[in-house]
Amino acid sequence: MASPLHAPYLRLKQEAKNGFGQEALSNRVLDLALTSLEYLKHDCNAVELDSHVPGKEYWSYVKKGTKALSRPVNLKHFSLDGDYLTKSWNSWVAGKGDLGSPQLLYTLATAYGVASDLFDRGNKKAPATFFEIFVAHLFARSSGIEPAKKARFPVEGKQVALTMDFLFDPGEKGLKLHLPVKMSSRERVVQAWAHHRVLEAAFGAAKYKGILVVHSETKLALKTGEVVEICVPDQWLAYQVYVARMERIYYFDVPGRYAALAKEFPNLFSIENIAEFFKKKDGLKEFLFPAPPKPAGQ
Amino acid sequence: MASPLHAPYLRLKQEAKNGFGQEALSNRVLDLALTSLEYLKHDCNAVELDSHVPGKEYWSYVKKGTKALSRPVNLKHFSLDGDYLTKSWNSWVAGKGDLGSPQLLYTLATAYGVASDLFDRGNKKAPATFFEIFVAHLFARSSGIEPAKKARFPVEGKQVALTMDFLFDPGEKGLKLHLPVKMSSRERVVQAWAHHRVLEAAFGAAKYKGILVVHSETKLALKTGEVVEICVPDQWLAYQVYVARMERIYYFDVPGRYAALAKEFPNLFSIENIAEFFKKKDGLKEFLFPAPPKPAGQ
């Protein structure tokens, strides 16, 4: 069956080549999410999964008449209300609203992946590519800065170029931002810390700030419907102290064990829901252009 | 069709649980390689590939009557002569010979993956697991030291355990060895440098030496039969200078561009064929227990 998601996905991918911050890309993001939600609403049912994650319920969508499960969805953060999503999103796109509406970001980030699982199960790449473009769009449109994909610097007298996820350079007066983006941190997340270490070493420790953005850490056993969160807090502690310092870490669905890690080591980790960052309309600008410290005694 | 490789592979995997350095595992390694070679010799043909790698020819094995290609083989390093392999290997196992015979290591490291591609194409994991066990065996049997998989150390007062590929601890008088092992360095090799950085930071820079062992960097386009080597020398330079120092890097088939990198930066990189390391019977012991520097003036 030809997927109704294929064309809007390709249009989004194509549009991203013209720039990550432009309004045309905002429209493509919304199109793809709404197309995905229409499909989920009309052709699928939600079934509850066997969540082993304390305090969280997860559901899968299933095509009517079939049994294959989509990736897990935290319905608390998920909305099928296309009008609500359209209004909230367009308000932000127009520079009027923030992105703090409870379900807006999670739904936009998640809907396509869920629907894609049911049309095209083997294809993990398209949902991951969509997610990268979506997050880059959030940061590019909020800051007005187009990200680069390559860091260029000399090593031992040789000019090298390293491909990273996204790099934002607000010019002399701001902090540079290194933005690694991952669907989950399994396997490859150490790359984020290693790249940040390279940036710290090549440009000086205070030049680049790192914000790691991850969708979630859920893992679904397709046969049993069991959902767990895969977390490696020991690794994160070692990377954060011994490899490089990630200034902030944002999730679309914060894993319980990383929330606990941030609570245990508040001076080392800031791990929050991404809506916390974007619910302040100028949160990103304040991050990139921090106010100078007040003189002592005032 | 039931694979004749399945049983000897499982026996090897099971045996490795009893220790990486034991003679029983040497026998399992040889069994699996010989079974694979018998199959390649009698049921397959070698076809030349369209090598885009300067100065190197690559071949695939193909099951007679079919067209699907195995992974690329550098026939210069590959031998179908079971008697030669058995004799050379058993001589090393018995503590008499070295591993410097030109084709011994490459053939043992490669035969199972090639044959497995033709029986069980989708299964990339078994050849990678075999390769890890094989390399661990080389180092464990040569040194008489059993490797650990976890590094334990405190971070901010908390005891953490990080899973790494292999860690050899020769005790107080020797250098500790961190041995990352990869089939190819694509995607995940930065983990090797990041782990080494953690070890340097947690234990002190001179405590652990890193030896990265990689099979090869060839990539075959199955449809066209074109072979290329995927190398990222800029990344390696940045990792080696800014993340951690890998003392030595060994390949079973050294990629041309990394050989060139080592030539351009001889003080930074040592990148050689692994037979160079093992052709000295006590090469590993000399590495782990280096002679103290001679006093000045002698």
Side-chain angles (χ1 to χ4, degrees), chain A residues 4 23 40 74 122 190 195 206 221 226 244 247 278 281 292:
Chain A
E23 185 169 341
L40 295 179
N74 186 334
V190 66
H195 282 173
E226 289 171 298
E247 184 83 1
F278 283 109
K281 209 168 139 270

Side-chain angles (χ1 to χ4, degrees), chain A:
Chain A
M1 178 169 53
S3 163
L5 308 170
H6 193 58
Y9 167 70
L10 288 183
R11 279 199 295 271
L12 169 120
K13 218 177 129 182
Q14 191 58 37
E15 193 63 67
K17 291 183 186 159
N18 300 325
F20 285 100
Q22 42 151 354
E23 185 169 341
L25 188 58
S26 311
N27 297 334
R28 296 284 81 78
V29 165
L30 187 66
D31 275 358
L32 185 55
L34 293 179
T35 308
S36 303
L37 291 173
E38 281 304 301
Y39 168 65
L40 295 179
K41 227 185 314 195
H42 296 298
D43 297 344
C44 304
N45 295 315
V47 297
E48 187 164 5
L49 298 169
D50 179 13
S51 171
H52 291 224
V53 184
K56 291 194 201 174
E57 287 174 13
Y58 286 98
W59 296 66
S60 269
Y61 280 87
V62 178
K63 215 185 285 188
K64 284 174 187 166
T66 72
K67 294 198 164 176
L69 301 170
S70 77
R71 65 191 59 194
V73 179
N74 186 334
L75 280 192
K76 201 181 108 188
H77 301 312
F78 199 68
S79 168
L80 294 177
D81 182 347
D83 289 342
Y84 154 75
L85 296 170
T86 302
K87 213 180 129 190
S88 314
W89 181 247
N90 284 343
S91 159
W92 173 73
V93 173
K96 290 172 191 158
D98 59 57
L99 290 168
S101 315
Q103 294 145 327
L104 179 63
L105 288 178
Y106 182 79
T107 305
L108 291 177
T110 308
Y112 170 59
V114 172
S116 169
D117 285 347
L118 302 177
F119 267 110
D120 190 9
R121 172 158 308 274
N123 187 354
K124 298 282 179 212
K125 203 177 165 194
T129 301
F130 162 75
F131 183 66
E132 285 167 25
I133 292 173
F134 174 60
V135 173
H137 178 63
L138 295 179
F139 280 80
R141 189 152 186 90
S142 294
S143 66
I145 300 165
E146 279 297 312
K149 301 280 290 175
K150 280 190 190 290
R152 294 170 201 281
F153 49 88
V155 186
E156 302 277 316
K158 191 184 177 192
Q159 196 67 18
V160 306
L162 244 68
T163 302
M164 303 197 175
D165 284 354
F166 300 103
L167 297 160
F168 291 81
D169 183 351
E172 294 255 318
K173 290 186 180 162
L175 295 169
K176 293 181 203 297
L177 170 63
H178 170 218
L179 184 79
V181 178
K182 310 281 171 205
M183 284 300 278
S184 87
S185 73
R186 287 195 277 289
E187 302 195 348
R188 296 217 276 157
V189 80
V190 66
Q191 193 192 60
W193 272 276
H195 282 173
H196 203 66
R197 164 86 195 160
V198 168
L199 293 171
E200 287 183 351
F203 294 94
K207 206 81 180 174
Y208 270 93
K209 294 289 180 188
I211 296 183
L212 168 64
V213 178
V214 187
H215 184 279
S216 54
E217 304 290 359
T218 51
K219 189 174 179 197
L220 168 63
L222 285 172
K223 282 185 190 164
T224 61
E226 289 171 298
V227 180
V228 295
E229 279 179 338
I230 310 277
C231 297
V232 286
D234 277 12
Q235 283 182 30
W236 283 36
L237 195 56
Y239 298 160
Q240 185 78 345
V241 174
Y242 289 146
V243 179
R245 179 66 64 99
M246 210 52 74
E247 184 83 1
R248 300 194 192 173
I249 299 170
Y250 288 108
Y251 275 95
F252 286 75
D253 181 16
V254 183
R257 288 168 68 196
Y258 288 143
L261 180 71
K263 218 171 162 182
E264 189 179 352
F265 296 100
N267 297 327
L268 279 177
F269 287 101
S270 162
I271 304 178
E272 288 186 312
N273 190 301
I274 189 149
E276 293 297 314
F277 190 55
F278 283 109
K279 79 181 178 190
K280 272 183 83 173
K281 209 168 139 270
D282 289 324
L284 180 57
K285 284 184 184 151
E286 285 166 21
F287 181 88
L288 294 172
F289 301 98
K294 284 188 184 153
Q298 293 201 345

Side-chain angles (χ1 to χ4, degrees), chain B residues 1-284:
Chain B
M1 177 170 54
S3 163
L5 308 170
H6 194 58
Y9 168 70
L10 289 183
R11 278 198 296 272
L12 168 120
K13 218 177 130 182
Q14 190 59 36
E15 193 63 66
K17 291 183 187 160
N18 300 325
F20 286 100
Q22 43 152 354
E23 185 169 341
L25 188 58
S26 311
N27 297 334
R28 296 285 80 79
V29 165
L30 187 65
D31 275 358
L32 185 55
L34 293 179
T35 307
S36 303
L37 291 172
E38 281 304 301
Y39 168 66
L40 296 178
K41 225 182 317 193
H42 297 297
D43 297 343
C44 304
N45 295 315
V47 298
E48 186 163 6
L49 298 168
D50 178 13
S51 172
H52 292 224
V53 184
K56 290 193 202 175
E57 287 174 14
Y58 286 97
W59 297 65
S60 270
Y61 281 87
V62 177
K63 215 184 286 188
K64 284 175 187 165
T66 72
K67 294 198 163 176
L69 301 169
S70 77
R71 65 191 60 194
V73 178
N74 186 334
L75 281 192
K76 200 182 108 189
H77 301 312
F78 199 68
S79 168
L80 294 176
D81 183 346
D83 289 342
Y84 154 74
L85 297 170
T86 302
K87 212 180 130 191
S88 315
W89 181 247
N90 285 341
S91 159
W92 172 73
V93 173
K96 291 173 190 158
D98 61 57
L99 290 168
S101 316
Q103 294 146 327
L104 179 63
L105 286 179
Y106 182 79
T107 305
L108 291 178
T110 308
Y112 169 58
V114 173
S116 169
D117 285 346
L118 301 177
F119 268 110
D120 190 9
R121 172 158 308 273
N123 188 354
K124 297 282 178 210
K125 203 177 166 195
T129 301
F130 162 75
F131 182 66
E132 286 168 24
I133 292 172
F134 174 61
V135 173
H137 177 64
L138 295 179
F139 281 80
R141 190 153 185 89
S142 294
S143 66
I145 300 165
E146 279 297 311
K149 301 279 290 175
K150 279 187 190 292
R152 296 170 202 279
F153 49 89
V155 186
E156 302 278 316
K158 191 184 177 191
Q159 196 67 18
V160 305
L162 244 69
T163 302
M164 302 195 175
D165 284 355
F166 299 103
L167 297 160
F168 291 81
D169 183 352
E172 294 254 317
K173 289 186 180 161
L175 295 169
K176 293 181 203 299
L177 170 63
H178 170 218
L179 184 79
V181 178
K182 311 280 171 206
M183 284 300 278
S184 86
S185 73
R186 286 195 278 289
E187 302 196 350
R188 297 219 275 157
V189 80
V190 66
Q191 192 192 60
W193 272 276
H195 281 173
H196 203 66
R197 164 86 195 160
V198 168
L199 293 171
E200 287 182 350
F203 294 93
K207 205 81 179 176
Y208 270 94
K209 295 288 180 190
I211 297 184
L212 169 64
V213 179
V214 188
H215 185 279
S216 54
E217 304 290 359
T218 51
K219 189 175 178 195
L220 167 63
L222 286 172
K223 283 185 189 166
T224 61
E226 288 172 298
V227 181
V228 295
E229 278 180 337
I230 310 277
C231 296
V232 286
D234 277 12
Q235 283 181 29
W236 283 36
L237 194 57
Y239 297 160
Q240 185 79 344
V241 174
Y242 290 145
V243 179
R245 180 65 66 100
M246 210 52 74
E247 184 82 2
R248 300 195 193 173
I249 298 169
Y250 287 107
Y251 274 94
F252 286 75
D253 180 16
V254 183
R257 288 169 67 196
Y258 289 143
L261 180 71
K263 217 171 162 182
E264 190 179 352
F265 298 100
N267 297 327
L268 279 177
F269 287 100
S270 163
I271 304 178
E272 289 186 312
N273 190 300
I274 189 150
E276 293 298 314
F277 190 55
F278 283 109
K279 79 180 179 190
K280 273 183 82 174
K281 208 167 138 273
D282 289 322
L284 180 56

